[in-house]
Amino acid sequence: MIIVTQSEIEALRCPLRHYYSYILRLKVDYYPSKNYIPIGFITHGAIDRLYNMVADGNIVLYDGVEILSGLDHYIESEFDRYLHKAAADVMRQIEEDIDMVKILVKWYFKSIFMTEDYDVVKSEAVFMAKMMRLSEKYGEEIIFGGKMDTIFKDIGTGKIYLHEIKTKSFFGPVARTEAMKGVQINAYATVLRHAKELPALDGILYTVIKKPAKLKSESLEEWKQRVESLAESEKTYNKYIQRYPFPLPAHDYVKQMEGAVEDAIFARKRPPYRRPYLCDYCDFRLLCDKQDPNAITYYKKKEDPHEELMGVHVDYEVELQ
């Protein structure tokens, strides 16, 4: 069996990053600089946690104090998990980022869950799609797998939506175009269209979250106060969190999915090369820069190249022709 995930397809934007992550199976184990802490990953994880808390039914949905307190604890523990292996100076630099993540998640909570418009159908839905034509071509089972952010129902209309969340540094037409052209959104919609366990999908919601930048003239405390005030203002909300609704694609994107999966299969056999314009937020920048002789010691081996699928329940299994 050959498994290709959406995460692997995204890693192929830089073949060297794909090589480190999926051929050598490396992942970061030590953070020598604040720049390498995965802020977006922690923000995303906190939002997933929010959905899970709601979907599990263990809390009252509209008790905002209880939810936000639980999320604050989760965010702090996630930073602790990374920081216990970080360099000493990173510990002193990270306070701003912890507060930033808390504030972004607070905004997100207010925008989605402070109304009675939505009901969580499934959070972090895991899928496995057997690519039938590729499986026949290669003589073994070829699987496109992954984990979707959230599937929710609009209570007012009863419509079902796929919801994907990204942390980015930009908004506007570029973010929207990037989402529409990418494999991810259309592939997920194709999988859900064939999932027998789910009512018919009606549309897609793509949310982009970005950090309110700290001004050069501001102290950390001034920045925190300003951002806290922004979090309470509906007028400024759209400056930092924007949602892009998409209609359901008119047809399946199986051929595009097959092309992306084959690209990943071929990449496993090709010599890797670096695309330097993608380095800013890459986990493997330390290895590529070759300026730190100890860089390789900051990484450890993954048990499996697709760790996100290890030991998890598969929610949707489909066959795509």
Side-chain angles (χ1 to χ4, degrees), residues 168 170-181 206 208 242 244 246:
K168 294 185 178 294
F170 55 86
F171 278 160
V174 175
R176 182 180 176 87
T177 301
E178 182 184 85
M180 292 179 70
K181 288 185 176 179
Y206 184 78
V208 179
Q242 289 190 355
Y244 303 94
F246 296 94

Side-chain angles (χ1 to χ4, degrees), residues 22-61:
Y22 290 93
I23 307 303
L24 298 186
R25 301 185 181 184
L26 298 179
K27 67 177 180 180
V28 180
D29 190 45
Y30 174 83
Y31 292 90
S33 164
K34 172 176 178 273
N35 295 334
Y36 295 92
I37 300 291
I39 306 300
F41 182 81
I42 295 174
T43 305
H44 202 292
I47 292 172
D48 286 340
R49 178 80 169 183
L50 169 60
Y51 276 121
N52 285 331
M53 291 166 74
V54 173
D56 290 345
N58 294 328
I59 56 173
V60 179
L61 177 57

Side-chain angles (χ1 to χ4, degrees), residues 69-320:
S69 175
L71 290 172
D72 281 354
H73 175 74
Y74 169 82
I75 291 164
E76 290 165 3
S77 65
E78 281 295 284
F79 273 100
D80 286 345
R81 185 162 68 89
Y82 288 103
L83 290 173
H84 84 280
K85 292 184 177 179
D89 64 326
V90 176
M91 304 289 286
R92 296 188 295 270
Q93 299 170 6
I94 208 69
E95 181 184 354
E96 173 184 329
D97 294 296
I98 296 175
D99 288 333
M100 179 270 292
V101 174
K102 288 180 181 178
I103 289 164
L104 288 178
V105 174
K106 180 187 293 184
W107 270 330
Y108 192 74
F109 168 78
K110 287 177 62 180
S111 70
I112 294 293
F113 291 110
M114 289 305 282
T115 67
E116 299 184 8
D117 293 336
Y118 304 106
D119 187 20
V120 178
V121 175
K122 189 69 185 176
S123 178
E124 297 186 278
V126 175
F127 69 90
M128 292 284 195
K130 183 177 179 180
M131 312 302 294
M132 301 301 290
R133 285 194 294 259
L134 290 185
S135 296
E136 184 176 350
K137 176 179 178 179
Y138 286 91
E140 63 179 306
E141 197 170 31
I142 307 294
I143 300 293
F144 175 66
K147 185 184 291 185
M148 306 176 191
D149 287 342
T150 311
I151 301 163
F152 69 85
K153 180 171 71 173
D154 185 314
I155 295 175
T157 64
K159 291 184 176 180
I160 303 293
Y161 293 92
L162 166 65
H163 189 196
E164 282 296 314
I165 306 160
K166 298 292 182 184
T167 51
K168 294 185 178 294
S169 59
F170 55 86
F171 278 160
V174 175
R176 182 180 176 87
T177 301
E178 182 184 85
M180 292 179 70
K181 288 185 176 179
V183 172
Q184 182 180 23
I185 294 294
N186 294 316
Y188 288 4
T190 298
V191 169
L192 293 178
R193 180 180 271 142
H194 291 266
K196 298 176 182 178
E197 305 90 340
L198 188 71
L201 190 69
D202 294 293
I204 300 163
L205 187 62
Y206 184 78
T207 294
V208 179
I209 303 174
K210 76 172 183 177
K211 174 184 176 180
K214 179 176 171 291
L215 303 177
K216 291 183 178 180
S217 59
E218 287 181 312
S219 67
L220 177 58
E221 194 57 39
E222 288 171 337
W223 176 86
K224 287 164 61 176
Q225 290 176 2
R226 178 171 64 87
V227 174
E228 283 286 356
S229 67
L230 292 178
E232 301 301 324
S233 170
E234 295 299 328
K235 291 182 180 180
T236 57
Y237 167 82
N238 286 333
K239 290 184 179 180
Y240 305 102
I241 299 180
Q242 289 190 355
R243 298 200 294 264
Y244 303 94
F246 296 94
L248 193 65
H251 56 84
D252 287 345
Y253 277 70
V254 178
K255 288 186 177 180
Q256 289 88 337
M257 294 166 67
E258 288 174 340
V261 168
E262 284 202 287
D263 283 347
I265 293 172
F266 294 152
R268 296 175 184 183
K269 301 175 183 179
R270 290 195 298 258
Y273 62 92
R274 180 183 183 183
R275 286 186 174 146
Y277 59 89
L278 297 172
C279 295
D280 285 351
Y281 300 102
C282 179
D283 286 341
F284 303 103
R285 195 169 75 189
L286 283 165
L287 285 175
C288 292
D289 289 346
K290 298 181 180 179
Q291 295 180 359
D292 187 338
N294 298 315
I296 192 62
T297 66
Y298 303 152
Y299 299 83
K300 67 179 180 181
K301 194 97 168 178
K302 294 189 284 189
E303 291 183 44
D304 187 276
H306 307 294
E307 284 189 324
E308 70 271 31
L309 301 181
M310 288 181 60
V312 298
H313 171 73
V314 178
D315 299 289
Y316 307 122
E317 292 187 77
V318 302
E319 294 183 351
L320 299 179

